[in-house]
Short mmCIF file of all heavy atoms in Angstrom, two decimals:
data_model
loop_
_atom_site.label_atom_id
_atom_site.label_comp_id
_atom_site.label_asym_id
_atom_site.label_seq_id
_atom_site.Cartn_x
_atom_site.Cartn_y
_atom_site.Cartn_z
N MET A 287 -196.11 42.36 -41.04
CA MET A 287 -197.38 42.85 -40.52
C MET A 287 -197.53 44.34 -40.85
O MET A 287 -196.56 45.06 -40.82
CB MET A 287 -197.43 42.65 -39.00
CG MET A 287 -198.79 42.91 -38.43
SD MET A 287 -198.85 42.45 -36.68
CE MET A 287 -197.90 43.80 -35.97
N SER A 288 -198.74 44.69 -41.18
CA SER A 288 -198.97 46.11 -41.40
C SER A 288 -200.34 46.49 -40.84
O SER A 288 -201.11 45.64 -40.42
CB SER A 288 -198.87 46.45 -42.89
OG SER A 288 -199.84 45.73 -43.61
N PHE A 289 -200.60 47.76 -40.84
CA PHE A 289 -201.85 48.28 -40.33
C PHE A 289 -202.60 48.99 -41.43
O PHE A 289 -202.00 49.53 -42.36
CB PHE A 289 -201.61 49.35 -39.26
CG PHE A 289 -200.97 48.89 -38.01
CD1 PHE A 289 -199.59 48.89 -37.90
CD2 PHE A 289 -201.73 48.51 -36.92
CE1 PHE A 289 -198.99 48.50 -36.72
CE2 PHE A 289 -201.14 48.12 -35.74
CZ PHE A 289 -199.76 48.12 -35.64
N GLU A 290 -203.93 49.08 -41.28
CA GLU A 290 -204.67 50.04 -42.09
C GLU A 290 -205.79 50.63 -41.25
O GLU A 290 -206.31 50.00 -40.33
CB GLU A 290 -205.22 49.41 -43.38
CG GLU A 290 -206.32 48.40 -43.17
CD GLU A 290 -206.95 47.97 -44.50
OE1 GLU A 290 -206.23 47.85 -45.50
OE2 GLU A 290 -208.16 47.75 -44.50
N VAL A 291 -206.14 51.86 -41.58
CA VAL A 291 -207.25 52.51 -40.90
C VAL A 291 -207.97 53.40 -41.93
O VAL A 291 -207.33 54.08 -42.73
CB VAL A 291 -206.79 53.31 -39.66
CG1 VAL A 291 -205.83 54.42 -40.00
CG2 VAL A 291 -207.98 53.84 -38.87
N ALA A 292 -209.30 53.32 -41.93
CA ALA A 292 -210.07 54.11 -42.88
C ALA A 292 -210.18 55.55 -42.39
O ALA A 292 -210.43 55.79 -41.21
CB ALA A 292 -211.46 53.50 -43.03
N CYS A 293 -210.00 56.47 -43.32
CA CYS A 293 -210.15 57.89 -43.00
C CYS A 293 -211.54 58.15 -42.40
O CYS A 293 -211.69 58.97 -41.50
CB CYS A 293 -209.93 58.71 -44.27
SG CYS A 293 -209.78 60.47 -43.98
N ARG A 294 -212.53 57.42 -42.90
CA ARG A 294 -213.90 57.56 -42.40
C ARG A 294 -213.99 57.31 -40.89
O ARG A 294 -214.77 57.96 -40.19
CB ARG A 294 -214.80 56.56 -43.16
CG ARG A 294 -216.27 56.70 -42.94
CD ARG A 294 -217.02 55.71 -43.80
NE ARG A 294 -216.83 55.93 -45.23
CZ ARG A 294 -217.49 56.85 -45.93
NH1 ARG A 294 -218.37 57.60 -45.36
NH2 ARG A 294 -217.26 57.01 -47.22
N GLU A 295 -213.17 56.38 -40.41
CA GLU A 295 -213.18 56.06 -38.97
C GLU A 295 -212.71 57.24 -38.14
O GLU A 295 -212.95 57.30 -36.95
CB GLU A 295 -212.25 54.87 -38.68
CG GLU A 295 -212.55 53.62 -39.46
CD GLU A 295 -213.54 52.70 -38.74
OE1 GLU A 295 -214.34 53.20 -37.94
OE2 GLU A 295 -213.46 51.49 -38.99
N LEU A 296 -211.99 58.15 -38.78
CA LEU A 296 -211.45 59.30 -38.07
C LEU A 296 -212.40 60.49 -38.16
O LEU A 296 -212.06 61.60 -37.80
CB LEU A 296 -210.08 59.68 -38.63
CG LEU A 296 -209.07 58.53 -38.65
CD1 LEU A 296 -207.79 58.95 -39.34
CD2 LEU A 296 -208.78 58.03 -37.25
N GLY A 297 -213.60 60.24 -38.67
CA GLY A 297 -214.63 61.27 -38.65
C GLY A 297 -214.75 62.05 -39.95
O GLY A 297 -215.48 63.04 -40.01
N ASN A 298 -214.05 61.60 -41.01
CA ASN A 298 -214.16 62.29 -42.28
C ASN A 298 -215.05 61.50 -43.23
O ASN A 298 -215.05 60.28 -43.21
CB ASN A 298 -212.78 62.46 -42.91
CG ASN A 298 -211.84 63.26 -42.03
OD1 ASN A 298 -212.17 64.37 -41.63
ND2 ASN A 298 -210.69 62.70 -41.71
N ASP A 299 -215.78 62.22 -44.08
CA ASP A 299 -216.60 61.56 -45.09
C ASP A 299 -215.71 61.31 -46.30
O ASP A 299 -215.67 62.09 -47.25
CB ASP A 299 -217.79 62.46 -45.46
CG ASP A 299 -218.73 61.75 -46.43
OD1 ASP A 299 -218.63 60.51 -46.55
OD2 ASP A 299 -219.54 62.43 -47.06
N CYS A 300 -214.99 60.20 -46.25
CA CYS A 300 -213.87 59.99 -47.17
C CYS A 300 -213.60 58.50 -47.28
O CYS A 300 -213.69 57.77 -46.30
CB CYS A 300 -212.65 60.72 -46.60
SG CYS A 300 -211.13 60.45 -47.52
N ASP A 301 -213.29 58.02 -48.47
CA ASP A 301 -213.05 56.60 -48.69
C ASP A 301 -211.58 56.21 -48.65
O ASP A 301 -211.22 55.07 -48.92
CB ASP A 301 -213.66 56.15 -50.03
CG ASP A 301 -215.19 56.15 -49.97
OD1 ASP A 301 -215.73 55.82 -48.90
OD2 ASP A 301 -215.82 56.50 -50.98
N PHE A 302 -210.72 57.17 -48.34
CA PHE A 302 -209.29 56.89 -48.30
C PHE A 302 -208.96 55.92 -47.16
O PHE A 302 -209.51 56.02 -46.07
CB PHE A 302 -208.52 58.19 -48.10
CG PHE A 302 -207.03 58.05 -48.20
CD1 PHE A 302 -206.41 57.90 -49.43
CD2 PHE A 302 -206.24 58.10 -47.05
CE1 PHE A 302 -205.02 57.79 -49.52
CE2 PHE A 302 -204.86 57.99 -47.13
CZ PHE A 302 -204.26 57.84 -48.37
N VAL A 303 -208.10 54.97 -47.46
CA VAL A 303 -207.64 54.04 -46.42
C VAL A 303 -206.14 54.23 -46.25
O VAL A 303 -205.37 54.15 -47.20
CB VAL A 303 -207.94 52.57 -46.81
CG1 VAL A 303 -207.37 51.62 -45.76
CG2 VAL A 303 -209.44 52.35 -46.95
N VAL A 304 -205.74 54.53 -45.03
CA VAL A 304 -204.34 54.75 -44.72
C VAL A 304 -203.70 53.40 -44.42
O VAL A 304 -204.24 52.61 -43.64
CB VAL A 304 -204.20 55.66 -43.48
CG1 VAL A 304 -202.73 55.93 -43.18
CG2 VAL A 304 -204.95 56.96 -43.68
N LYS A 305 -202.55 53.15 -45.07
CA LYS A 305 -201.85 51.91 -44.80
C LYS A 305 -200.43 52.21 -44.36
O LYS A 305 -199.82 53.15 -44.84
CB LYS A 305 -201.81 51.04 -46.07
CG LYS A 305 -203.17 50.52 -46.42
CD LYS A 305 -203.14 49.57 -47.60
CE LYS A 305 -204.54 49.03 -47.84
NZ LYS A 305 -204.88 48.91 -49.26
N GLY A 306 -199.92 51.41 -43.44
CA GLY A 306 -198.55 51.62 -42.99
C GLY A 306 -198.02 50.42 -42.25
O GLY A 306 -198.77 49.52 -41.88
N GLN A 307 -196.70 50.43 -42.04
CA GLN A 307 -196.05 49.31 -41.35
C GLN A 307 -196.23 49.40 -39.84
O GLN A 307 -196.14 48.39 -39.15
CB GLN A 307 -194.56 49.29 -41.68
CG GLN A 307 -194.28 48.97 -43.13
CD GLN A 307 -194.83 47.63 -43.57
OE1 GLN A 307 -194.62 46.62 -42.92
NE2 GLN A 307 -195.62 47.62 -44.64
N ASP A 308 -196.42 50.60 -39.33
CA ASP A 308 -196.62 50.76 -37.89
C ASP A 308 -197.45 52.02 -37.65
O ASP A 308 -197.75 52.76 -38.58
CB ASP A 308 -195.28 50.81 -37.14
CG ASP A 308 -194.36 51.87 -37.71
OD1 ASP A 308 -194.86 52.96 -38.09
OD2 ASP A 308 -193.15 51.64 -37.80
N LEU A 309 -197.78 52.23 -36.39
CA LEU A 309 -198.67 53.35 -36.09
C LEU A 309 -198.05 54.69 -36.44
O LEU A 309 -198.74 55.60 -36.91
CB LEU A 309 -199.03 53.34 -34.61
CG LEU A 309 -200.33 52.61 -34.29
CD1 LEU A 309 -200.54 52.54 -32.78
CD2 LEU A 309 -201.54 53.29 -34.94
N GLU A 310 -196.75 54.82 -36.23
CA GLU A 310 -196.11 56.10 -36.54
C GLU A 310 -196.23 56.41 -38.04
O GLU A 310 -196.46 57.55 -38.43
CB GLU A 310 -194.64 56.08 -36.09
CG GLU A 310 -193.93 57.41 -36.21
CD GLU A 310 -194.73 58.61 -35.65
OE1 GLU A 310 -195.33 58.52 -34.57
OE2 GLU A 310 -194.75 59.64 -36.36
N GLU A 311 -196.09 55.36 -38.88
CA GLU A 311 -196.24 55.58 -40.33
C GLU A 311 -197.70 55.95 -40.65
O GLU A 311 -197.95 56.82 -41.48
CB GLU A 311 -195.80 54.34 -41.09
CG GLU A 311 -195.65 54.62 -42.58
CD GLU A 311 -195.21 53.39 -43.38
OE1 GLU A 311 -194.84 52.37 -42.79
OE2 GLU A 311 -195.26 53.49 -44.62
N ILE A 312 -198.63 55.29 -39.98
CA ILE A 312 -200.05 55.60 -40.18
C ILE A 312 -200.31 57.07 -39.86
O ILE A 312 -200.96 57.79 -40.62
CB ILE A 312 -200.93 54.70 -39.27
CG1 ILE A 312 -200.80 53.23 -39.65
CG2 ILE A 312 -202.38 55.17 -39.27
CD1 ILE A 312 -201.87 52.69 -40.53
N VAL A 313 -199.78 57.51 -38.71
CA VAL A 313 -199.98 58.90 -38.30
C VAL A 313 -199.38 59.83 -39.35
O VAL A 313 -200.00 60.82 -39.77
CB VAL A 313 -199.38 59.17 -36.90
CG1 VAL A 313 -199.42 60.65 -36.56
CG2 VAL A 313 -200.12 58.36 -35.83
N LYS A 314 -198.17 59.50 -39.83
CA LYS A 314 -197.48 60.35 -40.81
C LYS A 314 -198.29 60.47 -42.10
O LYS A 314 -198.48 61.57 -42.63
CB LYS A 314 -196.11 59.74 -41.12
CG LYS A 314 -195.00 60.75 -41.14
CD LYS A 314 -193.64 60.07 -41.27
CE LYS A 314 -193.32 59.76 -42.72
NZ LYS A 314 -192.05 59.02 -42.89
N VAL A 315 -198.78 59.32 -42.59
CA VAL A 315 -199.55 59.32 -43.84
C VAL A 315 -200.88 60.07 -43.63
O VAL A 315 -201.32 60.83 -44.49
CB VAL A 315 -199.81 57.87 -44.33
CG1 VAL A 315 -200.74 57.86 -45.52
CG2 VAL A 315 -198.50 57.19 -44.68
N THR A 316 -201.48 59.87 -42.46
CA THR A 316 -202.74 60.54 -42.18
C THR A 316 -202.56 62.05 -42.10
O THR A 316 -203.41 62.82 -42.57
CB THR A 316 -203.35 60.01 -40.87
OG1 THR A 316 -203.45 58.59 -40.94
CG2 THR A 316 -204.75 60.60 -40.64
N VAL A 317 -201.44 62.49 -41.53
CA VAL A 317 -201.15 63.92 -41.47
C VAL A 317 -201.06 64.50 -42.89
O VAL A 317 -201.67 65.53 -43.20
CB VAL A 317 -199.83 64.19 -40.69
CG1 VAL A 317 -199.35 65.62 -40.90
CG2 VAL A 317 -200.04 63.93 -39.20
N GLU A 318 -200.31 63.80 -43.77
CA GLU A 318 -200.17 64.29 -45.14
C GLU A 318 -201.51 64.31 -45.86
O GLU A 318 -201.85 65.28 -46.55
CB GLU A 318 -199.18 63.42 -45.91
CG GLU A 318 -197.76 63.88 -45.68
CD GLU A 318 -196.72 62.84 -46.08
OE1 GLU A 318 -197.00 62.09 -47.03
OE2 GLU A 318 -195.66 62.80 -45.45
N HIS A 319 -202.27 63.22 -45.70
CA HIS A 319 -203.59 63.13 -46.33
C HIS A 319 -204.53 64.21 -45.76
O HIS A 319 -205.23 64.88 -46.52
CB HIS A 319 -204.16 61.73 -46.09
CG HIS A 319 -205.58 61.58 -46.49
ND1 HIS A 319 -205.98 61.46 -47.81
CD2 HIS A 319 -206.73 61.54 -45.76
CE1 HIS A 319 -207.30 61.36 -47.85
NE2 HIS A 319 -207.78 61.40 -46.63
N GLY A 320 -204.52 64.37 -44.45
CA GLY A 320 -205.39 65.37 -43.80
C GLY A 320 -205.10 66.78 -44.29
O GLY A 320 -206.00 67.58 -44.53
N LYS A 321 -203.80 67.08 -44.46
CA LYS A 321 -203.40 68.40 -44.94
C LYS A 321 -203.85 68.61 -46.38
O LYS A 321 -204.43 69.64 -46.72
CB LYS A 321 -201.88 68.55 -44.86
CG LYS A 321 -201.37 68.87 -43.48
CD LYS A 321 -199.97 69.49 -43.56
CE LYS A 321 -198.94 68.58 -42.97
NZ LYS A 321 -197.58 69.11 -42.96
N GLU A 322 -203.55 67.62 -47.24
CA GLU A 322 -203.82 67.76 -48.67
C GLU A 322 -205.30 67.74 -49.00
O GLU A 322 -205.80 68.54 -49.79
CB GLU A 322 -203.15 66.62 -49.44
CG GLU A 322 -201.75 66.94 -49.88
CD GLU A 322 -201.10 65.75 -50.58
OE1 GLU A 322 -201.82 65.02 -51.29
OE2 GLU A 322 -199.88 65.57 -50.39
N VAL A 323 -206.02 66.79 -48.40
CA VAL A 323 -207.40 66.52 -48.83
C VAL A 323 -208.42 67.24 -47.95
O VAL A 323 -209.44 67.70 -48.45
CB VAL A 323 -207.67 65.00 -48.87
CG1 VAL A 323 -209.10 64.71 -49.28
CG2 VAL A 323 -206.70 64.32 -49.82
N HIS A 324 -208.14 67.33 -46.66
CA HIS A 324 -209.14 67.87 -45.76
C HIS A 324 -208.78 69.24 -45.20
O HIS A 324 -209.53 69.80 -44.41
CB HIS A 324 -209.40 66.88 -44.61
CG HIS A 324 -209.86 65.53 -45.08
ND1 HIS A 324 -211.07 65.34 -45.72
CD2 HIS A 324 -209.27 64.31 -45.04
CE1 HIS A 324 -211.19 64.06 -46.04
NE2 HIS A 324 -210.11 63.41 -45.65
N GLY A 325 -207.64 69.78 -45.62
CA GLY A 325 -207.25 71.10 -45.17
C GLY A 325 -207.02 71.19 -43.67
O GLY A 325 -207.18 72.24 -43.06
N GLN A 326 -206.64 70.04 -43.07
CA GLN A 326 -206.39 70.03 -41.64
C GLN A 326 -204.94 70.38 -41.37
O GLN A 326 -204.06 70.12 -42.19
CB GLN A 326 -206.70 68.64 -41.06
CG GLN A 326 -208.17 68.28 -41.16
CD GLN A 326 -208.44 66.79 -40.95
OE1 GLN A 326 -207.62 65.94 -41.26
NE2 GLN A 326 -209.61 66.49 -40.43
N SER A 327 -204.68 70.94 -40.21
CA SER A 327 -203.30 71.22 -39.83
C SER A 327 -202.69 69.97 -39.21
O SER A 327 -203.41 69.07 -38.77
CB SER A 327 -203.26 72.37 -38.82
OG SER A 327 -203.80 71.92 -37.59
N GLU A 328 -201.35 69.94 -39.18
CA GLU A 328 -200.67 68.81 -38.57
C GLU A 328 -201.10 68.66 -37.12
O GLU A 328 -201.32 67.55 -36.63
CB GLU A 328 -199.14 69.00 -38.68
CG GLU A 328 -198.40 67.86 -38.02
CD GLU A 328 -197.03 67.59 -38.65
OE1 GLU A 328 -196.69 68.23 -39.65
OE2 GLU A 328 -196.33 66.71 -38.12
N ALA A 329 -201.27 69.77 -36.42
CA ALA A 329 -201.67 69.73 -35.00
C ALA A 329 -203.05 69.08 -34.85
O ALA A 329 -203.27 68.32 -33.91
CB ALA A 329 -201.67 71.13 -34.41
N GLN A 330 -203.96 69.40 -35.78
CA GLN A 330 -205.29 68.79 -35.71
C GLN A 330 -205.23 67.28 -35.87
O GLN A 330 -205.91 66.55 -35.17
CB GLN A 330 -206.19 69.36 -36.83
CG GLN A 330 -206.83 70.69 -36.51
CD GLN A 330 -207.65 71.18 -37.70
OE1 GLN A 330 -207.11 71.38 -38.79
NE2 GLN A 330 -208.93 71.37 -37.49
N VAL A 331 -204.39 66.83 -36.84
CA VAL A 331 -204.33 65.40 -37.10
C VAL A 331 -203.59 64.69 -35.98
O VAL A 331 -203.92 63.56 -35.62
CB VAL A 331 -203.65 65.13 -38.47
CG1 VAL A 331 -203.61 63.64 -38.75
CG2 VAL A 331 -204.40 65.84 -39.58
N ARG A 332 -202.60 65.36 -35.41
CA ARG A 332 -201.82 64.73 -34.34
C ARG A 332 -202.46 64.93 -32.97
O ARG A 332 -201.87 64.56 -31.95
CB ARG A 332 -200.38 65.29 -34.32
CG ARG A 332 -199.54 64.74 -35.45
CD ARG A 332 -198.08 65.13 -35.29
NE ARG A 332 -197.24 64.61 -36.36
CZ ARG A 332 -196.69 63.39 -36.34
NH1 ARG A 332 -196.90 62.59 -35.34
NH2 ARG A 332 -195.94 63.00 -37.34
N ASP A 333 -203.65 65.48 -32.93
CA ASP A 333 -204.39 65.63 -31.69
C ASP A 333 -204.50 64.28 -30.97
O ASP A 333 -204.72 63.25 -31.61
CB ASP A 333 -205.78 66.18 -32.00
CG ASP A 333 -206.59 66.42 -30.74
OD1 ASP A 333 -206.38 67.47 -30.11
OD2 ASP A 333 -207.41 65.56 -30.39
N ASP A 334 -204.34 64.30 -29.64
CA ASP A 334 -204.36 63.05 -28.88
C ASP A 334 -205.59 62.20 -29.15
O ASP A 334 -205.51 60.99 -29.27
CB ASP A 334 -204.28 63.34 -27.37
CG ASP A 334 -202.88 63.74 -26.95
OD1 ASP A 334 -201.95 63.58 -27.78
OD2 ASP A 334 -202.72 64.21 -25.82
N LYS A 335 -206.75 62.86 -29.23
CA LYS A 335 -208.00 62.11 -29.46
C LYS A 335 -207.99 61.41 -30.82
O LYS A 335 -208.45 60.29 -30.96
CB LYS A 335 -209.21 63.05 -29.39
CG LYS A 335 -209.71 63.26 -27.98
CD LYS A 335 -210.96 64.13 -27.99
CE LYS A 335 -211.17 64.73 -26.61
NZ LYS A 335 -212.00 65.94 -26.67
N VAL A 336 -207.48 62.10 -31.83
CA VAL A 336 -207.43 61.52 -33.18
C VAL A 336 -206.47 60.33 -33.18
O VAL A 336 -206.77 59.27 -33.73
CB VAL A 336 -207.00 62.58 -34.22
CG1 VAL A 336 -206.87 61.95 -35.61
CG2 VAL A 336 -208.01 63.72 -34.24
N VAL A 337 -205.31 60.50 -32.54
CA VAL A 337 -204.32 59.42 -32.51
C VAL A 337 -204.89 58.23 -31.73
O VAL A 337 -204.70 57.07 -32.12
CB VAL A 337 -202.99 59.91 -31.92
CG1 VAL A 337 -202.00 58.76 -31.74
CG2 VAL A 337 -202.37 60.98 -32.82
N GLU A 338 -205.59 58.50 -30.63
CA GLU A 338 -206.23 57.42 -29.87
C GLU A 338 -207.22 56.65 -30.75
O GLU A 338 -207.30 55.42 -30.71
CB GLU A 338 -206.97 57.97 -28.64
CG GLU A 338 -206.07 58.27 -27.46
CD GLU A 338 -205.22 57.09 -27.02
OE1 GLU A 338 -205.78 55.99 -26.87
OE2 GLU A 338 -204.00 57.26 -26.87
N THR A 339 -208.01 57.40 -31.54
CA THR A 339 -208.98 56.77 -32.44
C THR A 339 -208.26 55.91 -33.47
O THR A 339 -208.69 54.79 -33.76
CB THR A 339 -209.83 57.84 -33.15
OG1 THR A 339 -210.41 58.68 -32.17
CG2 THR A 339 -210.93 57.20 -33.99
N MET A 340 -207.14 56.42 -34.01
CA MET A 340 -206.36 55.63 -34.98
C MET A 340 -205.93 54.32 -34.35
O MET A 340 -206.03 53.26 -34.96
CB MET A 340 -205.09 56.41 -35.38
CG MET A 340 -205.31 57.42 -36.45
SD MET A 340 -203.71 58.17 -36.78
CE MET A 340 -204.26 59.82 -37.12
N LYS A 341 -205.41 54.39 -33.11
CA LYS A 341 -204.94 53.18 -32.44
C LYS A 341 -206.09 52.21 -32.23
O LYS A 341 -205.95 51.01 -32.39
CB LYS A 341 -204.34 53.54 -31.07
CG LYS A 341 -202.98 54.16 -31.16
CD LYS A 341 -202.42 54.34 -29.76
CE LYS A 341 -201.22 55.26 -29.74
NZ LYS A 341 -200.85 55.66 -28.38
N ALA A 342 -207.25 52.75 -31.85
CA ALA A 342 -208.40 51.90 -31.56
C ALA A 342 -208.96 51.25 -32.82
O ALA A 342 -209.41 50.11 -32.80
CB ALA A 342 -209.48 52.72 -30.86
N LYS A 343 -208.93 51.99 -33.94
CA LYS A 343 -209.59 51.53 -35.16
C LYS A 343 -208.65 50.83 -36.13
O LYS A 343 -209.10 50.22 -37.09
CB LYS A 343 -210.24 52.71 -35.90
CG LYS A 343 -211.27 53.47 -35.09
CD LYS A 343 -212.56 52.72 -34.99
CE LYS A 343 -213.64 53.58 -34.33
NZ LYS A 343 -214.86 52.81 -34.09
N ALA A 344 -207.35 50.97 -35.92
CA ALA A 344 -206.40 50.38 -36.86
C ALA A 344 -206.56 48.87 -36.88
O ALA A 344 -206.68 48.22 -35.85
CB ALA A 344 -204.97 50.76 -36.46
N LYS A 345 -206.60 48.34 -38.08
CA LYS A 345 -206.71 46.88 -38.25
C LYS A 345 -205.32 46.33 -38.56
O LYS A 345 -204.58 46.90 -39.35
CB LYS A 345 -207.65 46.56 -39.40
CG LYS A 345 -209.07 46.98 -39.15
CD LYS A 345 -209.93 46.66 -40.38
CE LYS A 345 -211.34 47.17 -40.22
NZ LYS A 345 -211.44 48.64 -40.39
N TYR A 346 -205.00 45.22 -37.94
CA TYR A 346 -203.76 44.54 -38.24
C TYR A 346 -203.98 43.69 -39.49
O TYR A 346 -204.97 43.00 -39.60
CB TYR A 346 -203.36 43.59 -37.11
CG TYR A 346 -203.02 44.27 -35.84
CD1 TYR A 346 -204.02 44.65 -34.96
CD2 TYR A 346 -201.70 44.53 -35.50
CE1 TYR A 346 -203.70 45.27 -33.75
CE2 TYR A 346 -201.37 45.14 -34.32
CZ TYR A 346 -202.38 45.52 -33.44
OH TYR A 346 -202.07 46.13 -32.27
N LEU A 347 -203.02 43.77 -40.40
CA LEU A 347 -203.10 42.95 -41.60
C LEU A 347 -201.96 41.95 -41.59
O LEU A 347 -200.82 42.30 -41.35
CB LEU A 347 -202.96 43.83 -42.85
CG LEU A 347 -204.00 44.92 -43.05
CD1 LEU A 347 -203.61 45.73 -44.28
CD2 LEU A 347 -205.38 44.34 -43.21
N TYR A 348 -202.29 40.73 -41.81
CA TYR A 348 -201.27 39.70 -41.91
C TYR A 348 -201.12 39.28 -43.36
O TYR A 348 -202.03 38.64 -43.89
CB TYR A 348 -201.63 38.50 -41.03
CG TYR A 348 -201.73 38.86 -39.58
CD1 TYR A 348 -202.93 39.21 -39.02
CD2 TYR A 348 -200.58 38.86 -38.79
CE1 TYR A 348 -203.02 39.55 -37.67
CE2 TYR A 348 -200.65 39.20 -37.46
CZ TYR A 348 -201.87 39.55 -36.89
OH TYR A 348 -201.94 39.89 -35.58
N PRO A 349 -200.05 39.66 -43.99
CA PRO A 349 -199.90 39.37 -45.42
C PRO A 349 -199.74 37.86 -45.67
O PRO A 349 -199.37 37.13 -44.79
CB PRO A 349 -198.65 40.10 -45.83
CG PRO A 349 -197.93 40.44 -44.57
CD PRO A 349 -198.90 40.37 -43.44
ZN1 ZN B 69 -209.72 61.48 -46.00
#
């Protein structure tokens, strides 16, 4: 099982889709993507509200 969440769902005008095996991996990938592409700091991406949104919007994928 894995998860995916669209960057757009997190409030960015962006077509990137974050994929990971669990929420912690999703957060990690989103932090890297946020830093590289959106110039966000790790603290901004790891903000409780953003993480809550990730949890709410993450889709479970059944391979
Ligand atoms: Zn993005």
Side-chain angles (χ1 to χ4, degrees):
M287 190 172 74
S288 60
F289 294 89
E290 68 172 36
V291 62
C293 191
R294 189 177 297 280
E295 304 270 26
L296 306 175
N298 300 306
D299 185 17
C300 175
D301 290 324
F302 187 76
V303 176
V304 182
K305 291 185 177 140
Q307 293 301 310
D308 54 38
L309 266 175
E310 187 46 44
E311 192 180 350
I312 296 263
V313 172
K314 225 173 83 183
V315 173
T316 306
V317 166
E318 275 164 32
H319 171 76
K321 280 200 247 182
E322 270 177 35
V323 179
H324 301 294
Q326 295 165 329
S327 69
E328 179 151 356
Q330 277 178 301
V331 181
R332 285 188 179 274
D333 182 81
D334 285 349
K335 275 183 199 158
V336 177
V337 174
E338 280 305 312
T339 306
M340 277 181 215
K341 285 186 194 168
K343 302 284 187 186
K345 295 178 185 75
Y346 295 83
L347 300 176
Y348 299 93

